[in-house]
């Protein structure tokens, strides 16, 4: 066979067999890397915006009113900065005020609470002062005179109830259902202490994390940087790329991650919730796929030109 034809044949087979196969493997690796970067960016957005958050959709107007009354110098958003011990103290006081509001509202809509039902023209009010001695609620007549005073105790501790009886023996106590049957002098609100507590904890349950969860939440925002640095550094150590190539690849991947996280942050700020996580993932992944596809196409076009030149030469 003509040696020139033999050389051309071997060159073509080399390109078809080795180079195209290597190019395919390279593209698959790029796709896997794009998936890894996208997951890391989405996880970082979740760690930044949704790891410790308050579900405001579960904050009812009554719960919000009880908080504002109990803590006039705080905002609900301040709770995300508190320790678990601080939150426990907040919830204890908040629960007591919420119970008072529940009793007030139930009475004012005509329900019987304990053995109490309002008469025509009467209405119930909660004490304006947080340090009001003796009573927590008053039942007022239509002319504003006081018909009855009550203490409201949201607790499952009978000793706490007994202390209140000793201190204010002339004021009736209405309690949560857990302790109402333990003392004949108590008025049963038919409101559960556990239910009230859960209604406050549920919107903030992500704030009560274990030490491991807190550690992971601190790590997640840095996950894209850690993954990019580790994977590019490993390739440099193994001799699969130069330090300059690793730097260039790292900058490109970092730019995509930063841009996608920026979109996620914007969506989170606009209150799109979990859609911000999906947006972060989608932008990073499809941007990476687009760039990698273009890179593979350019390499193929280059190889095709080289073959054409080789064929024209021989």
């Amino acid at each position: 066979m003509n040696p020139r034809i033999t050389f051309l044949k071997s060159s073509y087979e080399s390109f078809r067999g080795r180079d195209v196969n290597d190019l395919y493997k390279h593209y698959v690796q790029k796709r896997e890397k794009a998936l890894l970067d996208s997951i890391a960016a989405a996880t970082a957005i979740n760690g930044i915006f949704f790891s410790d958050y308050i579900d405001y959709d579960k904050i009812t107007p009554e719960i919000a009113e009880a908080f504002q009354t109990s803590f006039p110098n705080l905002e609900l958003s301040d709770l995300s900065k508190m320790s678990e011990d601080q939150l426990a103290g907040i919830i204890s006081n908040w629960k007591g005020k919420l119970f008072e509001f529940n009793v007030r509202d139930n009475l004012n809509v005509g329900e019987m609470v304990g053995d109490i039902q309002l008469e025509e023209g009467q209405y119930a009010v909660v004490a304006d002062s947080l340090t009001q001695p003796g009573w927590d609620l008053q039942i007022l007549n239509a002319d504003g005179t006081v018909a009855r005073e009550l203490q409201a105790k949201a607790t499952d501790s009978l000793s706490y109830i007994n202390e209140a009886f000793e201190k204010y023996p002339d004021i009736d106590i209405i309690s949560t259902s857990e302790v109402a049957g333990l003392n004949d002098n108590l008025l049963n609100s038919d409101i559960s202490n556990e239910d009230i507590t859960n209604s406050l904890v549920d919107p903030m349950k992500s704030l009560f994390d274990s030490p491991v969860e807190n550690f992971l939440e601190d790590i997640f925002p840095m996950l894209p940087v850690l993954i990019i640095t580790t994977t590019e550094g490993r390739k440099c150590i193994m001799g699969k790329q130069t330090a300059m190539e690793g730097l260039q690849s790292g900058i490109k991947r970092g730019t995509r991650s930063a841009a996608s996280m920026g979109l996620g942050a914007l969506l989170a700020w606009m209150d799109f919730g979990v859609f911000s996580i999906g947006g972060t993932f989608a932008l990073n992944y499809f941007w990476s796929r687009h760039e990698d596809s273009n890179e593979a196409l350019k390499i193929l076009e280059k190889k095709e030109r080289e073959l054409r030149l080789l064929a024209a030469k021989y």
Side-chain angles (χ1 to χ4, degrees):
M1 182 180 292
N2 189 303
R4 292 181 177 179
I5 295 177
T6 301
F7 178 75
L8 180 59
K9 176 178 177 296
S10 64
S11 298
Y12 173 76
E13 289 176 343
S14 173
F15 168 68
R16 182 189 61 188
R18 185 183 70 253
D19 293 350
V20 173
N21 188 51
D22 290 347
L23 180 61
Y24 174 76
K25 290 180 180 179
H26 178 71
Y27 180 70
V28 170
Q29 291 172 352
K30 287 274 190 177
R31 185 173 58 186
E32 293 172 350
K33 191 182 295 183
L35 181 61
L36 183 63
D37 287 353
S38 301
I39 292 173
T43 302
I45 285 295
N46 179 68
I48 293 171
F49 291 98
F50 302 104
S51 55
D52 288 334
Y53 74 101
I54 299 170
D55 189 347
Y56 290 98
D57 291 336
K58 295 181 179 179
I59 302 290
T60 65
E62 196 173 41
I63 290 176
E65 181 188 8
F67 179 83
Q68 292 164 2
T69 304
S70 300
F71 310 102
N73 297 322
L74 292 178
E75 299 290 339
L76 281 168
S77 58
D78 295 330
L79 299 179
S80 61
K81 306 169 189 175
M82 296 183 179
S83 67
E84 291 192 18
D85 288 340
Q86 289 174 317
L87 286 173
I90 290 286
I91 288 175
S92 178
N93 292 327
W94 191 359
K95 176 185 66 174
K97 186 59 65 176
L98 179 59
F99 177 58
E100 294 173 17
F101 285 168
N102 284 338
V103 173
R104 176 201 65 185
D105 294 344
N106 289 347
L107 287 171
N108 285 337
V109 296
E111 293 184 12
M112 178 174 283
V113 182
D115 64 353
I116 304 172
Q117 189 167 31
L118 300 186
E119 298 177 5
E120 185 70 27
Q122 288 184 334
Y123 57 98
V125 296
V126 171
D128 292 330
S129 172
L130 295 175
T131 57
Q132 173 67 42
W135 60 271
D136 299 310
L137 295 104
Q138 283 183 329
I139 296 174
L140 303 179
N141 296 312
D143 60 2
T145 57
V146 178
R148 191 170 183 177
E149 293 180 337
L150 297 168
Q151 293 188 67
K153 302 301 179 187
T155 181
D156 53 12
S157 170
L158 187 58
S159 61
Y160 178 56
I161 296 288
N162 290 334
E163 289 177 9
F165 270 128
E166 291 175 5
K167 191 171 184 179
Y168 301 103
D170 298 329
I171 300 178
D172 290 327
I173 298 177
I174 187 164
S175 72
T176 42
S177 57
E178 284 85 350
V179 295
L182 302 178
N183 189 314
D184 293 338
N185 294 319
L186 284 173
L187 301 175
N188 188 353
S189 67
D190 289 321
I191 299 171
S192 166
N193 180 64
E194 181 180 5
D195 288 344
I196 296 177
T197 303
N198 289 340
S199 71
L200 298 180
V201 171
D202 192 39
M204 303 183 295
K205 57 187 176 182
S206 70
L207 303 182
F208 294 90
D209 292 335
S210 67
V212 172
E213 289 172 324
N214 286 327
F215 172 76
L216 291 176
E217 288 167 4
D218 291 337
I219 291 295
F220 282 161
M222 295 300 296
L223 196 58
V225 175
L226 293 174
I227 288 177
I228 292 171
T229 303
T230 301
T231 53
E232 296 299 337
R234 179 173 174 272
K235 289 176 67 176
C236 292
I237 293 173
M238 296 177 65
K240 293 184 177 181
Q241 67 181 7
T242 65
M244 181 57 67
E245 289 172 338
L247 178 62
Q248 292 173 344
S249 177
I251 291 174
K252 183 183 294 185
R253 292 171 66 186
T255 300
R256 288 195 298 255
S257 293
S260 61
M261 288 175 64
L263 173 65
L266 178 62
L267 292 175
W269 179 75
M270 294 173 66
D271 205 23
F272 277 89
V274 294
F275 288 103
S276 61
I277 300 175
T280 301
F281 177 89
L283 177 59
N284 196 310
Y285 185 69
F286 290 109
W287 184 358
S288 301
R289 288 291 302 275
H290 176 71
E291 287 191 345
D292 294 341
S293 297
N294 285 342
E295 179 184 343
L297 183 61
K298 288 179 181 178
I299 294 174
L300 281 173
E301 290 174 345
K302 179 182 178 183
K303 290 295 184 181
E304 183 183 6
R305 289 195 299 269
E306 292 176 354
L307 280 175
R308 290 183 182 279
L309 289 173
L310 188 62
K313 181 178 179 181
Y314 289 100

